[in-house]
Structure formats: structure tokens, C-alpha cells
Amino acid sequence: MPATEPPVSVADLAAELSDRADARTGRRLLVGIAGRPGAGKSTLAEALVAELGARAVVVAMDGFHLADAVLDALGRRDRKGAPDTFDPRGLAALLQRLRTEPGPIHAPAFERTLEQPLAQAVRIDDQSIVITEGNYLLVDHPDWERIRAQLDLVWWIDGDEQQRITDLTERHIRFGKSPEQAAAWVARVDQPNAELAAASAPRADRRLVRPT
């Protein structure tokens, strides 16, 4: 199991990815950022793209949420965010295309105000670095292992556990839940998902403290 490393800056992480991408010949660098719900994965991914500029793009796992209509039909909407409420094979297939095909390639995104995936919302052209982030990128299951097989490296993000729960609860409130509903959702849905994700952390290439 990789040990959690001392804090490192976003600028240093971006420089490392830039060097790795420069060393490649004609293939994109595909990077995964994994962690518990609310750990700061999307924040780090966006910060890296801001640092790297036009050569990088984020393709998030959340774009592969199943739509609410599908979750209703499957009886899974009351635990949206669990592994079986995503389409991991779809993400794996997209990553394979990004590894082997030139752009333009389009990818879905997730709209938090609507709480729904948006088809073809992200355009990938000639970016040399693609960052995907999500809870389950390292999970030991055949469907999710398809994703790991396409990624050149995966980082796991650690951080203060109480702060993570606070941030996660506040995010649910910000997008429409009452404080009581948010706390209940975190306890009933997010925490079991966090435990499942955390069990996969030893499979990461590196364990990083959440950059600030």
C-alpha cells in the first residue's frame, strides 16, 4: 500500500503531469483521481486543468451517472451515487477511444443543479492530458477494472475526514436538500460509498494529501 505523501502543491503536480505528457509520443496521458465522496477530487482536477491550460481536459466519472428515469425503473434512485448507479463500461469505452483516437471526441458531463448527466457536453480535441475523477476508479470489480486498465496512473486523495463530511453535507444543502435531509443522505448513502471506495485506496499509484 502506498503511504500518504507529504503535502504537494497543485503547481508541482501539474508540472509532473506536463513532463509525463511531454515524454509520450502521439498518445494522450490518461490520469485518474480517486477518493471518497467529497474528498476534493473534482476541485483538484479543475485546479490541475487551470494550471495546465489548453493541453488538459477533465472527463469526470459523474458524467456516467445513470439518468433518474433509469434509476427509477431499476429502483435505485434512493441510493444514487452507489457503484451500480453508474455506467462504468461506458467510461472505460470512452477512455479507450481517448487512448487510441484523435479528436474531436465528445464526452458527457454532470450538471449538479439538474442532478443529471448531460450528453456530449465536453469536447476533447488535441489535449495531451485527460483527467478523470471519481470514487470508484480503483474498485476491485470487473466493470470498474476496465477503467483502471485504460489509465496510465491513478492518484488517491486523502484529507481530514470531518472536513470531508462537512463539505459533503454543505454541498447537498447547496443543491436543494434540507440540513436534515443532507445529514441523513450522507449517513445512509455517502458513508457506505466512502467505505467501499476507501477499500480500494491501496491500489493507487500514489496517495496524496488534498492540496489546498
PDB file of all heavy atoms in Angstrom, residues 53-79:
ATOM      1  N   GLY A  53      -3.637  24.542 -18.446  1.00  0.00           N
ATOM      2  CA  GLY A  53      -4.144  25.292 -19.579  1.00  0.00           C
ATOM      3  C   GLY A  53      -4.747  24.410 -20.661  1.00  0.00           C
ATOM      4  O   GLY A  53      -5.318  23.350 -20.387  1.00  0.00           O
ATOM      5  N   ALA A  54      -4.575  24.831 -21.906  1.00  0.00           N
ATOM      6  CA  ALA A  54      -5.287  24.210 -23.023  1.00  0.00           C
ATOM      7  C   ALA A  54      -4.841  22.790 -23.324  1.00  0.00           C
ATOM      8  O   ALA A  54      -5.501  22.104 -24.108  1.00  0.00           O
ATOM      9  CB  ALA A  54      -5.117  25.072 -24.274  1.00  0.00           C
ATOM     10  N   ARG A  55      -3.761  22.333 -22.715  1.00  0.00           N
ATOM     11  CA  ARG A  55      -3.304  20.979 -23.032  1.00  0.00           C
ATOM     12  C   ARG A  55      -4.020  19.914 -22.209  1.00  0.00           C
ATOM     13  O   ARG A  55      -3.772  18.719 -22.399  1.00  0.00           O
ATOM     14  CB  ARG A  55      -1.797  20.860 -22.820  1.00  0.00           C
ATOM     15  CG  ARG A  55      -1.321  20.876 -21.389  1.00  0.00           C
ATOM     16  CD  ARG A  55       0.189  20.721 -21.305  1.00  0.00           C
ATOM     17  NE  ARG A  55       0.650  19.587 -22.086  1.00  0.00           N
ATOM     18  CZ  ARG A  55       1.919  19.179 -22.129  1.00  0.00           C
ATOM     19  NH1 ARG A  55       2.849  19.806 -21.424  1.00  0.00           N
ATOM     20  NH2 ARG A  55       2.275  18.149 -22.859  1.00  0.00           N
ATOM     21  N   ALA A  56      -4.915  20.296 -21.269  1.00  0.00           N
ATOM     22  CA  ALA A  56      -5.575  19.329 -20.385  1.00  0.00           C
ATOM     23  C   ALA A  56      -7.086  19.536 -20.384  1.00  0.00           C
ATOM     24  O   ALA A  56      -7.581  20.631 -20.647  1.00  0.00           O
ATOM     25  CB  ALA A  56      -5.035  19.453 -18.961  1.00  0.00           C
ATOM     26  N   VAL A  57      -7.801  18.463 -20.070  1.00  0.00           N
ATOM     27  CA  VAL A  57      -9.261  18.495 -20.006  1.00  0.00           C
ATOM     28  C   VAL A  57      -9.718  17.472 -18.976  1.00  0.00           C
ATOM     29  O   VAL A  57      -9.043  16.466 -18.750  1.00  0.00           O
ATOM     30  CB  VAL A  57      -9.878  18.191 -21.396  1.00  0.00           C
ATOM     31  CG1 VAL A  57      -9.536  16.771 -21.863  1.00  0.00           C
ATOM     32  CG2 VAL A  57     -11.379  18.415 -21.409  1.00  0.00           C
ATOM     33  N   VAL A  58     -10.868  17.747 -18.337  1.00  0.00           N
ATOM     34  CA  VAL A  58     -11.455  16.824 -17.361  1.00  0.00           C
ATOM     35  C   VAL A  58     -12.613  16.078 -18.004  1.00  0.00           C
ATOM     36  O   VAL A  58     -13.500  16.680 -18.618  1.00  0.00           O
ATOM     37  CB  VAL A  58     -11.959  17.572 -16.113  1.00  0.00           C
ATOM     38  CG1 VAL A  58     -12.684  16.600 -15.166  1.00  0.00           C
ATOM     39  CG2 VAL A  58     -10.807  18.244 -15.388  1.00  0.00           C
ATOM     40  N   VAL A  59     -12.605  14.762 -17.848  1.00  0.00           N
ATOM     41  CA  VAL A  59     -13.735  13.900 -18.216  1.00  0.00           C
ATOM     42  C   VAL A  59     -14.105  13.136 -16.948  1.00  0.00           C
ATOM     43  O   VAL A  59     -13.444  12.174 -16.585  1.00  0.00           O
ATOM     44  CB  VAL A  59     -13.358  12.932 -19.356  1.00  0.00           C
ATOM     45  CG1 VAL A  59     -14.513  11.978 -19.637  1.00  0.00           C
ATOM     46  CG2 VAL A  59     -12.976  13.711 -20.613  1.00  0.00           C
ATOM     47  N   ALA A  60     -15.146  13.584 -16.258  1.00  0.00           N
ATOM     48  CA  ALA A  60     -15.441  13.064 -14.921  1.00  0.00           C
ATOM     49  C   ALA A  60     -16.313  11.820 -14.965  1.00  0.00           C
ATOM     50  O   ALA A  60     -17.176  11.668 -15.840  1.00  0.00           O
ATOM     51  CB  ALA A  60     -16.132  14.138 -14.085  1.00  0.00           C
ATOM     52  N   MET A  61     -16.093  10.945 -13.980  1.00  0.00           N
ATOM     53  CA  MET A  61     -16.932   9.754 -13.825  1.00  0.00           C
ATOM     54  C   MET A  61     -18.395  10.117 -13.648  1.00  0.00           C
ATOM     55  O   MET A  61     -19.285   9.377 -14.083  1.00  0.00           O
ATOM     56  CB  MET A  61     -16.442   8.946 -12.619  1.00  0.00           C
ATOM     57  CG  MET A  61     -17.136   7.608 -12.408  1.00  0.00           C
ATOM     58  SD  MET A  61     -16.764   6.903 -10.768  1.00  0.00           S
ATOM     59  CE  MET A  61     -17.970   7.786  -9.756  1.00  0.00           C
ATOM     60  N   ASP A  62     -18.680  11.272 -13.028  1.00  0.00           N
ATOM     61  CA  ASP A  62     -20.072  11.640 -12.755  1.00  0.00           C
ATOM     62  C   ASP A  62     -20.891  11.818 -14.025  1.00  0.00           C
ATOM     63  O   ASP A  62     -22.117  11.722 -13.986  1.00  0.00           O
ATOM     64  CB  ASP A  62     -20.124  12.924 -11.923  1.00  0.00           C
ATOM     65  CG  ASP A  62     -19.922  12.659 -10.443  1.00  0.00           C
ATOM     66  OD1 ASP A  62     -19.838  11.472 -10.057  1.00  0.00           O
ATOM     67  OD2 ASP A  62     -19.845  13.634  -9.664  1.00  0.00           O
ATOM     68  N   GLY A  63     -20.233  12.085 -15.161  1.00  0.00           N
ATOM     69  CA  GLY A  63     -20.963  12.150 -16.424  1.00  0.00           C
ATOM     70  C   GLY A  63     -21.580  10.823 -16.809  1.00  0.00           C
ATOM     71  O   GLY A  63     -22.466  10.778 -17.683  1.00  0.00           O
ATOM     72  N   PHE A  64     -21.152   9.757 -16.156  1.00  0.00           N
ATOM     73  CA  PHE A  64     -21.663   8.417 -16.445  1.00  0.00           C
ATOM     74  C   PHE A  64     -22.638   7.931 -15.375  1.00  0.00           C
ATOM     75  O   PHE A  64     -22.906   6.729 -15.281  1.00  0.00           O
ATOM     76  CB  PHE A  64     -20.496   7.457 -16.649  1.00  0.00           C
ATOM     77  CG  PHE A  64     -19.738   7.748 -17.911  1.00  0.00           C
ATOM     78  CD1 PHE A  64     -18.753   8.728 -17.933  1.00  0.00           C
ATOM     79  CD2 PHE A  64     -20.054   7.102 -19.089  1.00  0.00           C
ATOM     80  CE1 PHE A  64     -18.073   9.036 -19.101  1.00  0.00           C
ATOM     81  CE2 PHE A  64     -19.390   7.394 -20.272  1.00  0.00           C
ATOM     82  CZ  PHE A  64     -18.392   8.371 -20.279  1.00  0.00           C
ATOM     83  N   HIS A  65     -23.188   8.860 -14.590  1.00  0.00           N
ATOM     84  CA  HIS A  65     -24.362   8.551 -13.776  1.00  0.00           C
ATOM     85  C   HIS A  65     -25.478   8.040 -14.680  1.00  0.00           C
ATOM     86  O   HIS A  65     -25.691   8.570 -15.781  1.00  0.00           O
ATOM     87  CB  HIS A  65     -24.882   9.835 -13.107  1.00  0.00           C
ATOM     88  CG  HIS A  65     -24.401  10.052 -11.715  1.00  0.00           C
ATOM     89  ND1 HIS A  65     -24.810   9.283 -10.654  1.00  0.00           N
ATOM     90  CD2 HIS A  65     -23.559  10.979 -11.201  1.00  0.00           C
ATOM     91  CE1 HIS A  65     -24.244   9.731  -9.544  1.00  0.00           C
ATOM     92  NE2 HIS A  65     -23.473  10.750  -9.846  1.00  0.00           N
ATOM     93  N   LEU A  66     -26.217   7.047 -14.225  1.00  0.00           N
ATOM     94  CA  LEU A  66     -27.457   6.695 -14.912  1.00  0.00           C
ATOM     95  C   LEU A  66     -28.484   7.791 -14.653  1.00  0.00           C
ATOM     96  O   LEU A  66     -28.540   8.370 -13.568  1.00  0.00           O
ATOM     97  CB  LEU A  66     -27.989   5.354 -14.402  1.00  0.00           C
ATOM     98  CG  LEU A  66     -27.062   4.149 -14.588  1.00  0.00           C
ATOM     99  CD1 LEU A  66     -27.725   2.892 -14.042  1.00  0.00           C
ATOM    100  CD2 LEU A  66     -26.665   3.960 -16.045  1.00  0.00           C
ATOM    101  N   ALA A  67     -29.293   8.105 -15.659  1.00  0.00           N
ATOM    102  CA  ALA A  67     -30.315   9.143 -15.523  1.00  0.00           C
ATOM    103  C   ALA A  67     -31.359   8.721 -14.492  1.00  0.00           C
ATOM    104  O   ALA A  67     -31.581   7.524 -14.251  1.00  0.00           O
ATOM    105  CB  ALA A  67     -30.976   9.406 -16.868  1.00  0.00           C
ATOM    106  N   ASP A  68     -32.013   9.709 -13.896  1.00  0.00           N
ATOM    107  CA  ASP A  68     -33.018   9.412 -12.876  1.00  0.00           C
ATOM    108  C   ASP A  68     -34.114   8.488 -13.386  1.00  0.00           C
ATOM    109  O   ASP A  68     -34.621   7.641 -12.641  1.00  0.00           O
ATOM    110  CB  ASP A  68     -33.638  10.709 -12.344  1.00  0.00           C
ATOM    111  CG  ASP A  68     -32.716  11.448 -11.383  1.00  0.00           C
ATOM    112  OD1 ASP A  68     -31.658  10.885 -11.019  1.00  0.00           O
ATOM    113  OD2 ASP A  68     -33.049  12.582 -10.998  1.00  0.00           O
ATOM    114  N   ALA A  69     -34.498   8.658 -14.647  1.00  0.00           N
ATOM    115  CA  ALA A  69     -35.550   7.790 -15.193  1.00  0.00           C
ATOM    116  C   ALA A  69     -35.114   6.328 -15.175  1.00  0.00           C
ATOM    117  O   ALA A  69     -35.922   5.429 -14.888  1.00  0.00           O
ATOM    118  CB  ALA A  69     -35.902   8.218 -16.621  1.00  0.00           C
ATOM    119  N   VAL A  70     -33.843   6.079 -15.459  1.00  0.00           N
ATOM    120  CA  VAL A  70     -33.324   4.711 -15.424  1.00  0.00           C
ATOM    121  C   VAL A  70     -33.239   4.222 -13.984  1.00  0.00           C
ATOM    122  O   VAL A  70     -33.600   3.073 -13.673  1.00  0.00           O
ATOM    123  CB  VAL A  70     -31.947   4.645 -16.110  1.00  0.00           C
ATOM    124  CG1 VAL A  70     -31.342   3.257 -15.975  1.00  0.00           C
ATOM    125  CG2 VAL A  70     -32.068   5.036 -17.572  1.00  0.00           C
ATOM    126  N   LEU A  71     -32.767   5.088 -13.086  1.00  0.00           N
ATOM    127  CA  LEU A  71     -32.669   4.697 -11.682  1.00  0.00           C
ATOM    128  C   LEU A  71     -34.043   4.397 -11.089  1.00  0.00           C
ATOM    129  O   LEU A  71     -34.193   3.468 -10.289  1.00  0.00           O
ATOM    130  CB  LEU A  71     -31.982   5.801 -10.877  1.00  0.00           C
ATOM    131  CG  LEU A  71     -30.519   6.067 -11.250  1.00  0.00           C
ATOM    132  CD1 LEU A  71     -29.979   7.230 -10.430  1.00  0.00           C
ATOM    133  CD2 LEU A  71     -29.662   4.836 -11.055  1.00  0.00           C
ATOM    134  N   ASP A  72     -35.049   5.178 -11.479  1.00  0.00           N
ATOM    135  CA  ASP A  72     -36.422   4.899 -11.024  1.00  0.00           C
ATOM    136  C   ASP A  72     -36.866   3.521 -11.493  1.00  0.00           C
ATOM    137  O   ASP A  72     -37.451   2.740 -10.724  1.00  0.00           O
ATOM    138  CB  ASP A  72     -37.382   5.965 -11.547  1.00  0.00           C
ATOM    139  CG  ASP A  72     -37.251   7.291 -10.808  1.00  0.00           C
ATOM    140  OD1 ASP A  72     -36.766   7.292  -9.665  1.00  0.00           O
ATOM    141  OD2 ASP A  72     -37.637   8.322 -11.380  1.00  0.00           O
ATOM    142  N   ALA A  73     -36.598   3.209 -12.766  1.00  0.00           N
ATOM    143  CA  ALA A  73     -37.014   1.913 -13.311  1.00  0.00           C
ATOM    144  C   ALA A  73     -36.297   0.757 -12.618  1.00  0.00           C
ATOM    145  O   ALA A  73     -36.872  -0.329 -12.455  1.00  0.00           O
ATOM    146  CB  ALA A  73     -36.742   1.877 -14.818  1.00  0.00           C
ATOM    147  N   LEU A  74     -35.069   0.998 -12.183  1.00  0.00           N
ATOM    148  CA  LEU A  74     -34.288  -0.042 -11.516  1.00  0.00           C
ATOM    149  C   LEU A  74     -34.497  -0.070 -10.006  1.00  0.00           C
ATOM    150  O   LEU A  74     -33.986  -0.968  -9.331  1.00  0.00           O
ATOM    151  CB  LEU A  74     -32.796   0.167 -11.806  1.00  0.00           C
ATOM    152  CG  LEU A  74     -32.349   0.008 -13.267  1.00  0.00           C
ATOM    153  CD1 LEU A  74     -30.906   0.452 -13.426  1.00  0.00           C
ATOM    154  CD2 LEU A  74     -32.521  -1.428 -13.729  1.00  0.00           C
ATOM    155  N   GLY A  75     -35.206   0.925  -9.481  1.00  0.00           N
ATOM    156  CA  GLY A  75     -35.412   1.003  -8.035  1.00  0.00           C
ATOM    157  C   GLY A  75     -34.167   1.403  -7.269  1.00  0.00           C
ATOM    158  O   GLY A  75     -33.995   1.019  -6.105  1.00  0.00           O
ATOM    159  N   ARG A  76     -33.304   2.219  -7.872  1.00  0.00           N
ATOM    160  CA  ARG A  76     -32.031   2.571  -7.238  1.00  0.00           C
ATOM    161  C   ARG A  76     -31.882   4.066  -6.953  1.00  0.00           C
ATOM    162  O   ARG A  76     -30.830   4.494  -6.471  1.00  0.00           O
ATOM    163  CB  ARG A  76     -30.867   2.142  -8.140  1.00  0.00           C
ATOM    164  CG  ARG A  76     -30.820   0.660  -8.432  1.00  0.00           C
ATOM    165  CD  ARG A  76     -29.699   0.309  -9.390  1.00  0.00           C
ATOM    166  NE  ARG A  76     -29.786  -1.076  -9.834  1.00  0.00           N
ATOM    167  CZ  ARG A  76     -29.069  -1.596 -10.813  1.00  0.00           C
ATOM    168  NH1 ARG A  76     -28.180  -0.850 -11.451  1.00  0.00           N
ATOM    169  NH2 ARG A  76     -29.228  -2.862 -11.163  1.00  0.00           N
ATOM    170  N   ARG A  77     -32.891   4.866  -7.223  1.00  0.00           N
ATOM    171  CA  ARG A  77     -32.714   6.311  -7.098  1.00  0.00           C
ATOM    172  C   ARG A  77     -32.461   6.736  -5.655  1.00  0.00           C
ATOM    173  O   ARG A  77     -31.808   7.763  -5.421  1.00  0.00           O
ATOM    174  CB  ARG A  77     -33.936   7.036  -7.664  1.00  0.00           C
ATOM    175  CG  ARG A  77     -33.742   8.540  -7.784  1.00  0.00           C
ATOM    176  CD  ARG A  77     -34.868   9.179  -8.543  1.00  0.00           C
ATOM    177  NE  ARG A  77     -34.744  10.613  -8.588  1.00  0.00           N
ATOM    178  CZ  ARG A  77     -35.630  11.405  -9.174  1.00  0.00           C
ATOM    179  NH1 ARG A  77     -36.698  10.889  -9.759  1.00  0.00           N
ATOM    180  NH2 ARG A  77     -35.475  12.717  -9.175  1.00  0.00           N
ATOM    181  N   ASP A  78     -32.962   5.959  -4.690  1.00  0.00           N
ATOM    182  CA  ASP A  78     -32.786   6.347  -3.293  1.00  0.00           C
ATOM    183  C   ASP A  78     -31.360   6.110  -2.792  1.00  0.00           C
ATOM    184  O   ASP A  78     -31.050   6.401  -1.640  1.00  0.00           O
ATOM    185  CB  ASP A  78     -33.787   5.606  -2.403  1.00  0.00           C
ATOM    186  CG  ASP A  78     -33.578   4.105  -2.400  1.00  0.00           C
ATOM    187  OD1 ASP A  78     -32.900   3.592  -3.315  1.00  0.00           O
ATOM    188  OD2 ASP A  78     -34.098   3.438  -1.487  1.00  0.00           O
ATOM    189  N   ARG A  79     -30.479   5.588  -3.651  1.00  0.00           N
ATOM    190  CA  ARG A  79     -29.066   5.447  -3.294  1.00  0.00           C
ATOM    191  C   ARG A  79     -28.171   5.868  -4.456  1.00  0.00           C
ATOM    192  O   ARG A  79     -27.111   5.317  -4.708  1.00  0.00           O
ATOM    193  CB  ARG A  79     -28.758   4.020  -2.857  1.00  0.00           C
ATOM    194  CG  ARG A  79     -29.180   2.946  -3.821  1.00  0.00           C
ATOM    195  CD  ARG A  79     -29.118   1.582  -3.143  1.00  0.00           C
ATOM    196  NE  ARG A  79     -29.465   0.520  -4.082  1.00  0.00           N
ATOM    197  CZ  ARG A  79     -28.614  -0.030  -4.935  1.00  0.00           C
ATOM    198  NH1 ARG A  79     -27.369   0.393  -4.970  1.00  0.00           N
ATOM    199  NH2 ARG A  79     -29.000  -0.995  -5.735  1.00  0.00           N
TER     200      ARG A  79
END
